[in-house]
Every structure is written in structure tokens, then in C-alpha cells.
Amino acid sequence: MRRKKTRTQQVRERDRAILEVIPDMFFVFANDGTILDYKPARDQEPLLPLSDFIGKHVGEILPPDISDKTSQSIEQALLTGKEQVFQYDLPLEGKVRHYEARMIPFGEKEVLAIVRDISRFNQTEKNLQESESRYRRLFENNPLPMYIYDVQTLQILEANAAFENRYGYSRSEIKKISIKDIRPDEEIDRLLPHIRDLDPEMVYTGVWKHMKKDGTVIDVDITSTDFPYQGTRARLVLCSDITEKLRVEEELTESENRYRRLFEDNPMPMLIFEPETLRFLAVNEAAEIHYGWTRHEFLNMTIRDIRPPEDVQAAVKYIQEMDQGLDKVGVRRHRKKDGSVIHVDITSHSLTYRGKSAWLALCQDVTERIDTMEAIRKSEERYRLLADNVTDVIWILDLDFHYKYVTPSVTRLRGYEPDELIGSSLMDLLSEESRKKVREEYGRELQAEKIGGVDPNRSVTLELEQLCKDGSTVWTEVRVKFLRDPQGVAQGLVGVTRDISQKKKAEAEINASLKEKEILLKEVHHRVKNNLQIISGLLNLQAQHITDPGAKEVYKESQNRVITMGLIHEELYQSKDLAQVDFAAYIQNLSSNLFASYGKEHGNVDLVLDAEHVDMIVDTAIPCGLIVNELISNSLKHAFPMEKAGEVRVNFHSTGGGVYQLSVADSGVGLPAGFDFSRTKSLGLQLVTVMTELLGGTIELNQDCGTKFTITFKEYREAGTELH
């Protein structure tokens, strides 16, 4: 017989059905903690069979601390009528499980405990907390500035310490500014459309300009992404300041451009090659021009191709042993495309070229310099050979007369070794007279240097008495000139000294011999003069015994001619020059003697003499003297009869070019009409004609006023009589 269920049973069955739907584990506790009902969680195996729970007190199945907390929650739930929640850990099967118990009043004396295993949720929350902590540390401690801004308002919501330090804003100031406040004005117009177009799912990068609090504009590389922030659509921005990087890159680019220009435009050949293969990687235009190969040809060649075959092995070995950095290789031989070999001074440096280890070689063609140096070396060898063996002494002095260089031949001349003279003064090694001569000449040369306008290559020759090492002296001929720098400024003296001791000795002997000959000639002239005076005296004695006036006159004329020649020898005897006489003085003496001879020196006939002082050689003076003698005698005998007054005028002058003009004129009665002196039988005029012809001269006769003879002639030298 079936019994009808009570209302209480119906309600309990209904509640049981509802509880069965709950996926979590539940217990129904009496107010004293006795377990009235139990259901395990849907996805878990029962911890114990149902019979092990029903009717037992909570303290019998749970650890004391958990059972106490459960009893307290039951009591509180029934007392307050409100849900009580607590969590606890329960070790099961070697693991600690985390549970959440919700104690809900279930009638007046019962409490429903819904128990949920929250181990998984706790781990997730823990992981979330740890992630949040890591994010916070990453955000706060990141060395790069980071900030979060509201996508709608552009207000900065948060920023890290690096942002504060880099941009200069405090944390409180940051929350009062928007991203527009950290952008230059010219960037804002570009910024706003960019933000509107941002895809929330995308990460954006790019380079922007930011402005710091102090107004400084910097370049930043930005990475941004959408970031949920306290329920607001926000964006997280990471800022890397690349201002310095861009500056360095710009400088690097400029440096690269400069290098490229330096490489391409360098007037000297430049080659880049790979040390392992020796293959050329690049060459400049100068290399193409200088070596003759095109750039394309170079890039298919190696170092071996530009070295003479005999140099290749040594070149390869040297390259293999080169250290990194700068290397002053030195002068090497290179071969051009046409086969000619040149000398190049190489400086190389290691570098990285297009990711490869390489060497850059700068090649300066020094072939001409090497050839010049070789020519100089050979010239110096020849000069050294000459300087070491020449008998003359070559030397260089500074402007204070100190020796800077002297050839070894000085040892033969003066006994000094060259090293003994270097630094010593020339002035200390001269006689007193020679020192005086050098000072005077040097003073004149320095004055000429100051005035200017003189030949810079001029030289001076002096005869100097120099001291030898053994205390003796030697006469030398010194030819010296200024040693000048490229600007023509005198820097020293260079000269050649020649031993003239034998020359001086020969000159002394010649001078002594000349002195002896001079004395001898004077004696000859003196004796000739005396002999002519004896002849003149004999003629005078002979004339005294002659009564015939005509014959007596002939004797007198002969006597005057002898006196005329004697006067020449008297002049020479008294002259310092035995080859020449002062013709003006000679005419003066001759004329005075003639006037005295004819007794007219104090009479009515005057002598007017106008003669230029000319030193005339004997060969010319004697014929001229005879001409003067004949013409004056002729005037005194015939021009002034019956003691008529008048004058005899004698003129003698040089007309230049070795030509002379002699005239003898008188103011007497003149010659007969139609007189031809060239046909006369007069011995005197015949003698005048002969002497004029001897001198190679001409005679002119002028009878306009008295008589005037003019003879024009050149100096005459009899063959074999020239003395100098």
C-alpha cells in the first residue's frame, strides 16, 4: 500500500532535484554541523562513499582548522541569514587543492554548503597577478620611455620613470598633458589623421619628432599597440630616442660620401684588394688613367698582374704578413698595361669593404723622384770624386765667415783636415792685411746688396795670404760669391781657393827683372841723350870755324834736329814710363830750345802753345818732334824778316779714336805765291813730308793769314818696338 508523500517530503525532493543540477559539490549541514546530505562535483570522483558522509559531524571528516571554520560559518549563516564564504586548502593525493565554500541558510536549522574546487582559478589569478607584476616592472623599469594614452581624448594616462627623466615632466604633470603637448607644432597636423587610421589589431612603428618640456626636439622611433587600460581603449607607446643615432648615421653617410669623393677624386691611384685572393675590389679613376687598364679590366685582375714577375713572390709574402691598421709599405715596383715599370710609394690601410676584409692602397708614382735621386747620387759621386781630387779648395761659409764645408784638398794646401776647419772662422786664418782687404770688400758687397739692382750671380776675386797649420803662410787667389736661397736672399758664401804661391813668386821675379830693365833703359836713354848732346856740341864747335853763312845755317839746323831727338830721351830718362812721354811737355821744351837757338826767345815773336796732355809712345813722339822742329824753325827763319813782330802758334789735340791733330802756324809774311811744299828742295819741308808719311798722316797748308801747317795722324808703332 502506497503512502501519500508529505508536503515536507515533496519540498525536499524538489530541492534535491534543483541541487542535482548544480555542477559543484554540496553538503547540507544541520545546525550542529552534522552532514545531512552530500553530492560530489559533477566532473570529480566522490572523495568518499556517500555512507561515509551522511550522519557524520564535520569534525570527523575535515581537519580541525577547516571543521572549525565550517562550524563558525554554519552558525553565522543561521544567525544572520546571510551567505557566508570562506576558502580553504585541502591536501589530496599529494597535492594541495583550493576550495571555496559558500554557506547559505537552507531553512531554519539547516545550511547548504556549495563547495567549488578553485585550484585552477587561483592559479590563473596568480598567473595574472604575476603577469601584472611583470608588466608593471617592465613598464616602470624599462630604460626606454613608455606611456599610455587615451585613444579618444589623447590624454596621457600613465608614463614610466624613463619618460619622466627623458622628457622632463613630473608624474603629476604627465597626467595633465596630452600627446599633442609632446609633439612639435608641425607634427600635429600629421599626427591626428594617423591616430584616426590606427587599426586596434596592428602594431605600428615609425619615426616621429617629439618635444621635451624644455622645448628640445628629438627624433624617436615609436612602437605602439592597443592596450586595454581600466576599461578604456588606450594605446601603449614605446619611445626610443634615435636623435644621436640619426646624427651619427648622417655623419656616417657624409663620411661615406667624403670617402667616396676622396677615393674617386683623389689624383693619386687608389686600389682596394682582397688579401686572401689578392683580387681587386675597386679602383679609382686615377688608377685607370695612370696604369692604363679600365675599371672592368682591373676587377678581373689581382695584385700579381701589376707587379713585375720577379717581384710577385716577395709581394705576396709581404701582404700575407701585414698587420691590421695603417702600413707604410714603402717604395715598390709596379707594371703598367703598356709594360713599363714604375716606382710607387705605397701606403695601405685595412678596412671592411662591402662586408669583406680588404686593404686600401694609395700609390704615389715616385719614378721621376727615384730617377732624380739616382741622378743626384751619381752626380754627388762625380762631385765627390772631383772634390776629393781637385787641387783647388772648394768651401762654403756662413755670413759670419765660419766654415760649413771644405773639400779635402785643403789638407794639401794648408795642412788642415776638413773637420778641423768646420765651425772655425776664415778671418782667424788670414794675415792682417788680408783680413783688412776682406772686410773692405765684404762691406762694399753688403752695401750693394742693400741698394739692389746688381747681378745676384756676381763674384769677387781676391788675393789673400792665408795661414797654414804649421804657422807658415800661403798666397791664394779666392773667387767668392753669395750662396742664395730660392728667393734670392744671401744665406752664405761659396768660393774656390787656388794656390798662387808660384805665381806670386814668378811675379816677384818678373818685377825684379823689369826693375833691372827699367834701370838699364833709363841708363840707355841717359847715354843716348849724352851722346846726342856731344854730337850737338861737336856740330856747334864745327860751325864756329865756318865762315860761309849758308853752310853755318846747315850746321845749325842739324844741331837743332839732334837736340830735338835728344829731348825725347831726356823726357824718357826722367819719366816713370819708359815707353811714353808727355807730348805737351815735350813740345814746350822743344819750342823753348828752338826760340833760344834762334835768339828770339825774348824778341818780338811770341810762342803760343795749346797742347793737350797726351802720353805718346816714342815711335810717334820722335817723328812728331822732328815735324814741330822743322816747322817752328822754318817760321823763325823766314816768317819775320827785319825783326818783324808776330807769333808762332802750336796746337796739339786728340780728336778721338787714336787720331791726333798737330798744327804749327805763324803770323809772318807767308810763303811765296804758288808755293808747292811737296815739290820744294828745302830739306826741312822734305823732312816734314817724310815724317808725316811715316805716321800715315796728311798735311794741309793754309795761307789765308800767314802760314799754317796742319798734320792729322794716328799713333805709329815701329815693328818690334812695342813694350806693353
Side-chain angles (χ1 to χ4, degrees), residues 47-113:
L47 298 177
L48 294 171
L50 181 62
S51 58
D52 291 344
F53 284 105
I54 301 302
K56 291 187 177 181
H57 189 271
V58 66
E60 296 179 68
I61 62 173
L62 292 175
D65 56 332
I66 300 176
S67 64
D68 290 345
K69 189 178 293 185
T70 301
S71 297
Q72 292 173 4
S73 296
I74 292 171
E75 183 179 351
Q76 286 295 320
L78 293 174
L79 181 64
T80 62
K82 294 181 179 181
E83 178 184 51
Q84 301 294 315
V85 180
F86 70 92
Q87 295 180 359
Y88 63 91
D89 296 333
L90 184 65
L92 291 174
E93 299 177 354
K95 294 182 180 180
V96 176
R97 307 292 293 178
H98 304 285
Y99 293 95
E100 180 185 76
R102 293 180 177 274
M103 312 299 283
I104 303 169
F106 196 61
E108 294 179 358
K109 296 183 179 181
E110 295 178 3
V111 173
L112 174 64

Side-chain angles (χ1 to χ4, degrees), residues 239-514:
C239 307
S240 176
D241 187 346
I242 60 171
T243 307
E244 182 65 16
K245 175 186 174 184
L246 291 180
R247 184 189 67 78
V248 171
E249 287 179 351
E250 183 178 353
E251 290 181 356
L252 188 60
T253 301
E254 179 61 27
S255 175
E256 175 69 19
N257 291 336
R258 284 198 303 270
Y259 157 74
R260 178 57 56 187
R261 291 194 299 271
L262 177 64
F263 181 79
E264 290 296 340
D265 300 338
N266 199 303
M268 289 190 290
M270 299 184 78
L271 315 168
I272 299 177
F273 65 92
E274 193 175 21
E276 289 79 12
T277 65
L278 304 182
R279 185 173 61 87
F280 288 114
L281 302 177
V283 298
N284 66 353
E285 185 178 359
E288 294 183 79
I289 295 172
H290 203 75
Y291 286 84
W293 284 289
T294 66
R295 192 165 307 207
H296 177 73
E297 288 173 324
F298 260 117
L299 298 183
N300 289 289
M301 296 165 53
T302 71
I303 287 289
R304 295 182 178 88
D305 298 316
I306 66 168
R307 298 301 294 267
E310 59 272 22
D311 294 356
V312 170
Q313 184 176 355
V316 172
K317 184 175 183 296
Y318 185 89
I319 292 172
Q320 291 172 345
E321 294 175 353
M322 286 195 305
D323 294 327
Q324 294 294 307
L326 181 66
D327 186 80
K328 188 71 175 69
V329 178
V331 177
R332 297 291 188 270
R333 297 196 309 164
H334 275 187
R335 184 175 61 86
K336 298 166 71 172
K337 186 175 182 179
D338 61 9
S340 60
V341 175
I342 59 176
H343 291 86
V344 290
D345 191 357
I346 301 174
T347 301
S348 62
H349 200 289
S350 58
L351 76 164
T352 300
Y353 182 80
R354 295 181 179 177
K356 294 182 179 181
S357 177
W359 280 90
L360 169 67
L362 176 67
C363 306
Q364 181 182 5
D365 189 340
V366 294
T367 306
E368 184 176 347
R369 189 181 76 189
I370 295 293
D371 292 344
T372 300
M373 290 174 61
E374 179 63 18
I376 291 173
R377 185 189 65 79
K378 291 180 179 179
S379 175
E380 286 181 346
E381 287 181 356
R382 290 194 297 270
Y383 166 74
R384 181 63 58 187
L385 182 64
L386 176 64
D388 289 348
N389 294 280
V390 71
T391 56
D392 292 345
V393 180
I394 303 170
W395 44 262
I396 296 175
L397 306 178
D398 61 22
L399 293 177
D400 293 324
F401 298 105
H402 292 100
Y403 281 101
K404 308 299 287 184
Y405 170 77
V406 61
T407 57
S409 51
V410 72
T411 305
R412 291 193 296 269
L413 179 65
R414 297 168 58 195
Y416 290 101
E417 293 295 330
D419 291 344
E420 294 180 277
L421 291 179
I422 300 302
S424 63
S425 173
L426 170 68
M427 302 299 280
D428 295 337
L429 302 171
L430 296 177
S431 66
E432 184 59 38
E433 188 64 29
S434 293
R435 278 198 294 270
K436 181 179 178 182
K437 187 186 298 183
V438 170
R439 290 192 189 99
E440 291 174 353
E441 190 63 39
Y442 188 58
R444 284 192 291 270
E445 289 299 312
L446 287 181
Q447 186 64 27
E449 284 287 302
K450 292 178 182 178
I451 296 173
V454 293
D455 182 8
N457 294 315
R458 69 190 183 282
S459 62
V460 175
T461 301
L462 300 172
E463 290 188 356
L464 302 177
E465 187 178 17
Q466 300 196 37
L467 304 180
C468 298
K469 188 174 182 180
D470 61 7
S472 62
T473 62
V474 60
W475 276 99
T476 59
E477 180 183 80
V478 177
R479 187 177 182 85
V480 60
K481 62 182 291 186
F482 281 113
L483 187 64
R484 302 179 186 276
D485 62 15
Q487 287 71 43
V489 179
Q491 300 294 317
L493 302 166
V494 59
V496 178
T497 297
R498 175 170 293 175
D499 184 356
I500 59 169
S501 299
Q502 294 301 319
K503 175 185 172 184
K504 295 292 284 186
K505 181 179 179 182
E507 285 179 354
E509 291 175 352
I510 290 171
N511 288 334
S513 176
L514 287 175

Side-chain angles (χ1 to χ4, degrees), residues 194-206 208 221-226 233 235-238:
H194 174 75
I195 292 177
R196 286 197 301 268
D197 296 338
L198 288 176
D199 186 341
E201 303 299 324
M202 298 292 291
V203 175
Y204 285 90
T205 60
W208 293 79
D221 190 356
I222 289 177
T223 301
S224 70
T225 184
D226 260 32
R233 184 193 168 195
R235 200 154 185 90
L236 173 65
V237 181
L238 174 69

Side-chain angles (χ1 to χ4, degrees), residues 124 217 449 587 690:
T124 301
V217 176
E449 284 287 302
I587 293 176
V690 171

Side-chain angles (χ1 to χ4, degrees), residues 677-691:
F677 68 88
S678 64
R679 297 179 180 277
T680 182
K681 294 181 180 180
S682 168
L683 179 61
L685 290 177
Q686 288 178 0
L687 187 58
V688 169
T689 301
V690 171
M691 291 297 105

